[in-house]
Amino acid sequence: MSNKPPPPRPAPRLYLATPDVDDPAPLLAELPDLLKTVDVAAVLLRLKETDQRTMISRIKALAPVVQNAGAALLVDGHPELVARGGADGAHLRDIAALEEAMPSLKPDRIAGVGGLETRHESMNAGEMGADYVLFGEPDAKGQRPQAQAIAERLDWWAELFEPPCVGFATSFQEAYDFAASGADFVLVGDLVWADPRGPKAALVEADAAIKKAFTAVAAGQS
């Protein structure tokens, strides 16, 4: 039996959620600089609801910008539009949506999932083949678990399961805490876009927070 220690955990990376996109032009003007400034693994495209043709055209406008920067573009919901828009995958709102979308997304595209209220649901999502599980996002009423509960769920998942876990951070402190708890990715959205300093400064601070957490954990100080 080998006594080798497990390989070192990779540093967590940022996952950037867009505002609800109606006209993609403002985002197209900002995204290239943002994606050049810090390491962003993926962009979650939130689309304002409208007809399918318009939503597909928005995906097509943004996909090359994101992909050329070395990030993946995922569509929030709407797995039926992923291939037609040239996106890399979809984020599904709950386990039922994941189950329904898997045949259209797999094996070529990413299928991530949130809305996992229990550990049992989380394990089911992993068994279904979800590429990542998201913990901590607000529900339909805008409610979310306390940050400590989210951190505990991330720690539990990271300790036991192979698929990556994502922590939904609404503050820079949460970004730090979730990275320290074992999140492979930290999802930031309104935290970045609502910052009065502008999204670039906020994204840099979020990136610094997760790097600081990773360094502290590696040094055994967290």
Side-chain angles (χ1 to χ4, degrees):
M1 178 180 271
S2 172
N3 290 321
K4 283 184 181 178
R9 175 178 151 238
R13 300 178 70 193
L14 281 171
Y15 184 4
L16 176 63
T18 71
D20 287 342
V21 174
D22 186 359
D23 175 9
L27 194 57
L28 284 168
E30 284 191 294
L31 261 184
D33 190 38
L34 290 178
L35 298 178
K36 198 186 303 177
T37 301
V38 298
D39 172 40
V40 174
V43 173
L44 179 63
L45 175 57
R46 296 166 164 166
L47 291 167
K48 189 169 182 181
E49 292 290 335
T50 184
D51 63 277
Q52 283 201 352
R53 181 177 293 181
T54 301
M55 288 194 286
I56 290 167
S57 71
R58 291 172 189 162
I59 299 168
K60 284 182 174 178
L62 289 160
V65 173
V66 173
Q67 293 159 346
N68 289 342
L73 180 71
L74 278 75
V75 180
D76 191 8
H78 304 290
E80 75 282 359
L81 305 183
V82 167
R84 293 159 69 189
D88 297 288
H91 174 77
L92 291 315
R93 297 298 179 94
D94 54 36
I95 197 161
L98 173 70
E99 186 172 18
E100 185 178 340
M102 287 297 275
S104 66
L105 293 173
K106 290 303 193 176
D108 299 322
R109 290 180 168 81
I110 299 166
V113 64
L116 303 167
E117 295 182 1
T118 66
R119 292 188 176 194
H120 181 69
E121 278 193 349
S122 306
M123 290 188 286
N124 282 349
E127 288 170 2
M128 280 183 196
D131 291 293
Y132 69 78
V133 291
L134 171 67
F135 300 127
E137 79 279 22
D139 63 19
K141 296 178 181 176
Q143 303 296 312
R144 65 194 292 262
Q146 292 186 343
Q148 183 178 346
I150 299 167
E152 288 172 357
R153 183 67 61 87
L154 289 163
D155 181 65
W156 163 76
W157 183 271
E159 185 74 24
L160 296 175
F161 302 101
E162 188 69 27
C165 57
V166 184
F168 185 105
T170 61
S171 68
F172 299 115
Q173 183 62 50
E174 285 187 359
Y176 178 96
D177 292 343
F178 296 165
S181 297
D184 299 282
F185 302 93
V186 175
L187 179 63
V188 293
D190 296 343
L191 169 64
V192 167
W193 304 107
D195 195 300
R197 301 169 298 169
K200 183 192 277 192
L203 204 57
V204 167
E205 185 169 346
D207 186 55
I210 66 173
K211 285 186 167 131
K212 184 178 178 183
F214 180 72
T215 301
V217 169
Q221 297 170 356
S222 179

